[in-house]
Amino acid sequence: MTLRLIATDLDGTLLDSTSSVTPRTRAALDAARARGIHVVPVTARQPIGLRAIAGDADFRDWALCSNGAYATHLTDGRMLFAEELPAETIRTLAEALRASVPGLLFASVREGGETFVAQEGYAAIADLSDHKRDPKTMGGVPLDQVLDAPSLKFVIRHPELAPSALFDALTSLGLTGFEATLSGAPFVEVMAEGVTKATGLARLCAHLGIDRTDVMAFGDALNDVEMLRWAGRGVAMADADAVVQDAADEIAESNDDDGVARVIERILADR
């Protein structure tokens, strides 16, 4: 393939199990950029979570956040696009789900990913690693305030139930008007209808004048499936779920074995 852009998930993919960028991975990213290849993080994270590792990975340009809901430039803060979930849809979804699953807690990501509005009680069950935000800074508001404005990503969580169980409960409602997925985090993530990492990546590539056949994408979770299928070459990690590996053209070694770096090294050696 003529490689012009590398799109990579972060957690469980580019980052090792300590959420670090290894020296080998950094060297591979630098080698790709030296060849004029764009390197784009495509993540469920918000800018606050990208900043934590941007220096180690040398991410300075475009990034796709909230599973493709918006594209932000990491140096100058420009927003290329942002797709929000309407407040009416959020309220309908939350009310229907609460009727069948008691004890749910919700949060909303807004304003370019910089604002995090959490329901009362949410911070008490959250860890720093969940949103790359200190739970002590989350505060807590009545549910109505979480539901009363559009959201770039709507978060659904339960103190005891697994995200997969919540995801199944949500999909069984038969509601439409939104896109739901799992990223490996302890909650369900809901975006505007039709929004996936693939749709966000397609919009960014159109802006950059890059064809999908010239894109290589890496991922490990359910929220990466559409992106792996869309890219000219999709690469799943060795420990990804079967549905993710089935969507890929190639299986890389694990994130703790520099799987992304190994593939990039091989591709560059063949150019």
Side-chain angles (χ1 to χ4, degrees):
M1 64 183 301
T2 302
L3 183 59
R4 296 188 60 200
L5 187 145
I6 294 169
T8 180
D9 173 56
L10 298 180
D11 300 285
T13 301
L14 186 77
L15 307 180
D16 67 14
S17 56
T18 68
S19 295
S20 299
V21 179
T22 69
R24 183 172 182 176
T25 294
R26 171 59 187 269
L29 298 181
D30 287 345
R33 286 184 286 245
R35 300 276 195 101
I37 298 167
H38 297 270
V39 177
V40 178
V42 185
T43 179
R45 294 187 184 208
Q46 312 309 318
I48 189 173
L50 276 169
R51 293 183 196 117
I53 56 95
D56 292 340
D58 198 27
F59 291 143
R60 303 181 188 180
D61 298 315
W62 291 108
L64 290 163
C65 298
S66 278
N67 299 311
Y70 63 100
T72 184
H73 196 281
L74 295 175
T75 299
D76 60 27
R78 280 179 294 154
M79 294 282 286
L80 181 63
F81 62 83
E83 294 288 342
E84 293 184 315
L85 187 66
E88 315 86 76
T89 304
I90 295 171
R91 185 172 294 278
T92 298
L93 183 162
E95 291 176 350
L97 195 55
R98 290 177 73 222
S100 60
V101 184
L104 291 170
L105 291 166
F106 303 91
S108 176
V109 176
R110 303 174 185 169
E111 298 173 347
E114 302 295 347
T115 300
F116 188 85
V117 182
Q119 182 183 356
E120 294 167 329
Y122 187 96
I125 63 169
D127 292 322
L128 175 64
S129 60
D130 297 343
H131 301 282
K132 312 305 179 284
R133 297 174 186 269
D134 185 342
K136 295 177 182 178
T137 69
M138 291 180 179
V141 300
L143 179 58
D144 279 349
Q145 292 183 35
V146 181
L147 308 180
D148 68 359
S151 179
L152 290 166
K153 185 170 75 173
F154 184 57
V155 177
I156 304 170
R157 188 166 188 166
H158 194 278
E160 299 172 357
L161 295 177
S164 57
L166 296 181
F167 184 80
D168 290 343
L170 176 58
T171 54
S172 70
L173 294 174
L175 298 175
T176 59
F178 60 87
E179 197 76 32
T181 193
L182 299 171
S183 68
F187 41 77
V188 175
E189 303 173 38
V190 183
M191 286 70 59
E193 186 172 19
V195 167
T196 67
K197 288 187 176 184
T199 62
L201 187 55
R203 292 182 71 169
L204 177 59
C205 285
H207 173 73
L208 297 173
I210 295 174
D211 190 84
R212 62 188 292 183
T213 58
D214 298 331
V215 175
M216 174 175 281
F218 294 87
D220 76 301
L222 182 65
N223 63 335
D224 298 311
V225 166
E226 293 87 357
M227 177 174 73
L228 297 184
R229 289 175 176 158
W230 180 86
R233 188 158 191 84
V235 183
M237 309 312 290
D239 49 2
D241 290 341
V243 66
V244 184
Q245 294 192 357
D246 288 345
D249 302 297
E250 177 182 346
I251 310 301
E253 297 190 52
S254 76
N255 61 316
D256 280 327
D257 200 21
D258 291 305
V260 171
R262 290 171 183 266
V263 173
I264 294 173
E265 290 165 357
R266 190 191 72 234
I267 295 294
L268 296 184
D270 292 340
R271 284 172 62 114

